[in-house]
Amino acid sequence: MTKTPHAVVTGGSGFVGSHLIDALISDGYQVTSLDNFGSGRPANISHINSDRFISIEHDVREPLPDLEAVDYVFHLASRASPEDFESHAVEIALTNSQGTHNVLSYAHDHDAIVILASTSEIYGNPEEHPQHEEYNGNVNIRGPRAPYDESKRFSEALGVAYQQQYNIDIRTVRIFNTYGPRMRPDDGRVIPNFLSQALRGDDLTVYGDGTQTRSFCYIDDLVEGIRAVANAPQSAMAGEVVNLGSTEEIKIEDLAEVIIEVVNPDCGVVYQDLPTDDPELRRPDISRAGELLGWSPKIPLSAGIKKTIPYFKTEIDAKSFVGND
Ligand code: NAD
Ligand code: UDP
């Protein structure tokens, strides 16, 4: 009989982490979630009814708890909303440095495979478009986003250090803007903001002139990509980095129109200041993920938005969401 693989997921009660856990449980893994519940919520994992799942409240800035044999560590812990980059700056910077160190040393001790969550933010305000993994980015190391994007760059670099020195199997995923159910309505990112505003009948807040672009990936597609990375043979993925995201690029002003049309045509748009260092363009080059994993996203933006609305509607009707702490 083959042993049940054990995966530790840091940030498991967050948006991406909780969906990943659903997939790992259905794939037959034993899963341990480690989360400090800073931006994640117990409600995101309360539906999981499996004796192969446990949730431990733990902050990855502290050494990881002693657990039985661990085969995989998915390191997703980190606040990810630009609204938190200033208010939780030190926490974020340390989560992606000291926290990543704790995760990598733990994986080394357990001889586990690491899937490290990086971000398109490491490309900063890109001068190359679309962004290929070989592009080194254009990041303001002293700007308000630096606690997040520079610490994610360091997190990747620490992964390279562990690989070089200890030869452990680290697979890095650069995640581009992803959305779907279980994002907090008050998360501050654009799709939760726009959906909450439209459902409440408020005008949508477009920052700047709305011509900046993003490429939004539905959560199920992202989880398929992360799964493919974890399942890929060592020869293909160990030490590799791949972009995971949608190539359907849209201006933020057009995203507002899509959401207004689908959710509430009575809403308008109000323009507010563009945050400092807000990237002007963002779209992943996903050819590497295609070649290495045969992965590409399947769910168009309009379909993904429609799949996301019922969750936000329930949340807003129940007014049950918690605020940023
Ligand atoms: P999220 O805020 O919903 O989830 C993050 C989780 O990490 C939360 O449950 C939070 O409580 C937990 N956490 C934060 N700091 C921690 C710490 N020090 N110790 C333990 N737990 C901690 O955000 P998300 O969108 O699910 O992001 C998950 C990961 O994916 C992050 O690493 C983020 O950088 C990355 N990512 C996400 C996106 C996206 O569009 N969703 C894009 C790029 C990268
Ligand atoms: N944005 C906006 N209105 C909002 C929230 C965000 O216009 O209410 C813009 C933001 O300035 C950025 C884009 O939407 O240009 C995506 O923002 P988000 O915070 O979702 O993610 P980012 O890609 O900036 O990390």
Side-chain angles (χ1 to χ4, degrees), residues 21 27 31 41 45 50 64 89 99 102 117 132 149 175 179 186 224 243 250 253 260 265 267 273 299 315 323:
I21 289 173
D27 285 349
V31 179
R41 301 191 293 174
I45 48 172
S50 167
L64 271 54
N102 288 332
H132 187 270
D149 49 28
I175 302 172
Y179 68 99
D186 64 344
E224 275 309 302
N243 289 336
I250 185 170
E253 61 184 357
I260 287 172
C267 293
D273 289 346
I299 300 163
E315 287 287 299

Side-chain angles (χ1 to χ4, degrees), residues 135-153:
Y135 175 51
N136 282 326
N138 174 35
V139 172
N140 177 358
I141 58 171
R142 301 188 60 83
R145 297 171 93 92
Y148 182 71
D149 49 28
E150 280 296 340
S151 69
K152 284 287 190 181
R153 288 170 71 93

